[in-house]
Amino acid sequence: MTPNIDLESTAVIQRLQEQRLQELMLYVSEYSTYYKRIFKDYNINPMEINTLSDLNKIPVTTKEDLQKYNDDFLCVDRKKIIDYVTTSGTLGEPVTFALTDMDLDRLAYNEAISFGCAGITSDDILQLTTTIDRRFMAGLAYFLGARQLGAGIIRVGAGIPELQWDSILRFKPTYLIVVPSFLLKLIEYAHQQGINPNESGIKGAICIGESLRNEDFTLNTLASKIKEDWDISLYSTYASTEMSTAFTECEAQQGGHHQPELIIIEILDEAGKQVADGKPGELTITTLGVEAMPLIRFKTGDIVQAHSAPCSCGRNTMRLGPVIGRKKQMIKYKGTTLYPPAMYNVLNHFNDIEAFVIEIDHNSIGTDEICIKIAAQNPSEGLLQNIKDHFRAKLRVTPKIEFHDFKTIQELRFPKMSRKPVVVIDHRS
């Protein structure tokens, strides 16, 4: 690993990445059944892949490739595998990822420097409010990263506001690792119990799974509602099992910083070409330093925008803005292109909404239809009209909206074997 590489010049960062890329090509050409087959089928000499621009000579790897040829990506004997994780399967069948001891060390390093990016030090105590079991990589990564950093960690796990507050008041953590919408439940419980969140000693939250910001980095509706009642720093993160790497905001909170010693990133248009600087495209990644299952030009399916202007924190790495949406979840609705996060932002405006799911389908003439199913505290025709008006004002379209009881919505949000809530149910083939 190369600590503080993010403070070096862009030229030094590129040289390091190209050195690591050459090492990766040598490694996969010897050990990866999948990539050896790709090199042969496309007549590619991996020893000629020496620069970042040379990468475009290699075809992209897709989620479907991972699902279909999962075992062919494994580069080590199974005796070397220490940990097994699976992807969440949001857009298809879950994929198994194996990690060696070296991969777990890399995961710990990734999270330790990610915490450091957000200003967390060995003097801090972190409260983990996400699961560490159920083959979930993120919880394990947080634990390993805190351990490497030397920070304390409290493994409370998901849910149960009463237990979360008991731990906050008992152990005095300084940061929470949390899905941001859960902070609203913690605030609600605190108010019910006469607890002042602002006197809890919590300085900030490392937020996962949901966006905090608009594309211009202003706080979105969800983050604004949190800040109204709990004046803590909110740090966005972006990560996935496939890349075993996180993009985490620094104190400037202007996008998640790239960790160049761990991953190469490309942002591609529909034709597979690099987009112009500052334009949105599909994040495509090449992992560096992964032993068990390295990936080359893996298309994440996430539409993002990169920012290359210097950051006030002094790092010279590219930053990723909030995920605009999943490529496969793009919706063409009444002449407007929508992604679910834009709808989340509208729905999070309403305090009366307890939970929701968004169902996407094709109608009889082959165009997209949206049905939003909502559980509300006080469902009424007035609330329904207010929601529709807000959609019309913010997104210029009004999807179909239905009220359902909370139990029905929760059953849709938490299907059997799910590790996290399913907010979008896409019935399109």
Side-chain angles (χ1 to χ4, degrees):
M1 303 303 178
T2 311
N4 301 320
I5 184 64
D6 48 2
L7 299 175
E8 298 287 350
S9 68
T10 53
V12 170
I13 290 172
Q14 181 172 332
R15 281 200 299 272
L16 172 76
Q17 289 213 300
E18 291 179 343
Q19 176 191 332
R20 297 283 170 84
L21 174 61
Q22 292 162 24
E23 294 168 358
L24 172 64
M25 290 298 112
L26 186 65
Y27 182 73
V28 296
S29 65
E30 184 172 356
Y31 296 110
S32 173
T33 300
Y34 179 80
Y35 287 112
K36 282 193 285 188
R37 185 167 66 243
I38 290 295
F39 295 154
K40 181 180 178 182
D41 290 348
Y42 288 85
N43 196 26
I44 296 168
N45 180 354
M47 297 305 100
E48 293 179 356
I49 309 297
N50 296 310
T51 68
L52 299 185
S53 59
D54 287 339
L55 267 174
N56 61 22
K57 298 175 183 177
I58 302 174
V60 296
T61 300
T62 66
K63 290 180 183 285
E64 290 75 21
D65 293 329
L66 268 177
Q67 290 164 346
K68 188 174 181 180
Y69 306 109
N70 202 174
D71 288 348
D72 288 352
F73 285 87
L74 188 63
C75 292
V76 299
D77 188 285
R78 291 190 179 273
K79 290 187 292 186
K80 289 195 71 174
I81 298 171
I82 301 298
D83 191 72
Y84 289 91
V85 300
T86 53
T87 59
S88 59
T90 305
L91 295 178
E93 285 298 313
V95 171
T96 298
F97 268 83
L99 291 90
T100 65
D101 207 38
M102 189 175 98
D103 292 334
L104 291 175
D105 288 343
R106 179 188 177 280
L107 196 62
Y109 171 82
N110 155 75
E111 213 56 60
I113 62 174
S114 295
F115 287 146
C117 189
I120 297 172
T121 73
S122 58
D123 294 331
D124 287 300
I125 300 173
L126 311 178
Q127 181 155 316
L128 180 60
T129 74
T130 60
T131 183
I132 197 170
D133 56 2
R134 304 180 73 180
R135 309 194 305 251
F136 192 45
M137 178 182 278
L140 176 65
Y142 293 129
F143 176 78
L144 293 174
R147 185 171 180 266
Q148 178 156 324
L149 185 65
I153 192 158
I154 308 161
R155 294 177 291 108
V156 180
I160 321 177
E162 181 179 3
L163 182 58
Q164 302 290 350
W165 274 111
D166 176 76
S167 296
I168 291 170
L169 299 175
R170 184 185 301 269
F171 302 116
K172 306 297 182 186
T174 48
Y175 287 87
L176 301 177
I177 302 169
V178 63
V179 174
S181 57
F182 186 60
L183 288 170
L184 294 177
K185 296 187 181 300
L186 292 181
I187 291 168
E188 180 184 14
Y189 181 86
H191 289 167
Q192 291 171 351
Q193 301 299 316
I195 299 167
N196 184 347
N198 291 307
E199 294 177 356
S200 64
I202 299 293
K203 296 189 292 185
I206 306 300
C207 295
I208 70 169
E210 295 171 342
S211 179
L212 295 170
R213 308 198 191 285
N214 301 309
E215 289 179 43
D216 62 357
F217 298 117
T218 56
L219 295 177
N220 65 15
T221 303
L222 174 59
S224 296
K225 289 172 75 171
I226 294 166
K227 294 278 283 186
E228 283 174 8
D229 288 292
W230 204 349
D231 187 22
I232 54 177
S233 296
L234 301 174
Y235 295 93
S236 283
T237 65
Y238 167 75
S240 73
T241 300
E242 294 91 347
M243 59 192 184
S244 297
T245 313
F247 294 77
T248 303
E249 287 185 329
C250 66
E251 63 269 19
Q253 299 180 344
Q254 295 290 298
H257 277 279
H258 174 209
Q259 297 178 3
E261 68 269 53
L262 299 180
I263 197 167
I264 294 169
I265 65 174
E266 302 170 82
I267 299 179
L268 305 180
D269 62 17
E270 289 285 344
K273 304 294 185 183
Q274 181 74 30
V275 301
D277 191 43
K279 297 295 183 181
E282 183 174 3
L283 181 68
T284 302
I285 59 97
T286 297
T287 56
L288 301 172
V290 171
E291 185 178 29
M293 294 181 69
L295 295 176
I296 301 171
R297 305 198 78 207
F298 174 73
K299 297 182 75 174
T300 64
D302 291 328
I303 305 300
V304 301
Q305 185 173 337
H307 300 265
S308 57
C311 184
S312 60
C313 73
R315 292 176 177 85
N316 290 316
T317 46
M318 184 182 292
R319 290 164 288 116
L320 290 185
V323 173
I324 298 168
R326 292 279 182 93
K327 184 178 180 181
K328 284 192 174 181
Q329 290 179 344
M330 184 178 75
I331 308 162
K332 294 283 191 178
Y333 186 67
K334 297 181 180 178
T336 298
T337 298
L338 293 176
Y339 288 99
M343 292 186 276
Y344 304 163
N345 207 29
V346 172
L347 294 164
N348 285 331
H349 174 80
F350 294 91
N351 292 329
D352 274 348
I353 294 178
E354 295 178 294
F356 61 84
V357 293
I358 298 170
E359 292 192 339
I360 311 167
D361 214 329
H362 279 315
N363 59 25
S364 59
I365 59 173
T367 58
D368 291 342
E369 287 291 345
I370 305 169
C371 178
I372 302 177
K373 297 182 176 180
I374 293 172
Q377 293 176 356
N378 298 294
S380 67
E381 190 61 37
L383 176 60
L384 181 63
Q385 192 58 51
N386 283 341
I387 296 171
K388 289 181 176 181
D389 289 345
H390 210 62
F391 266 99
R392 197 174 296 111
K394 295 293 184 181
L395 302 181
R396 303 191 303 278
V397 293
T398 306
K400 181 181 179 182
I401 299 171
E402 299 176 350
F403 287 127
H404 293 267
D405 62 81
F406 183 76
K407 181 181 178 183
T408 298
I409 300 300
Q410 288 299 85
E411 288 174 351
L412 291 170
R413 280 165 52 88
F414 292 95
K416 190 177 181 181
M417 298 292 288
S418 173
R419 287 189 309 227
K420 58 185 182 180
V422 176
V423 184
V424 178
I425 302 171
D426 196 340
H427 299 294
R428 297 173 297 180
S429 58

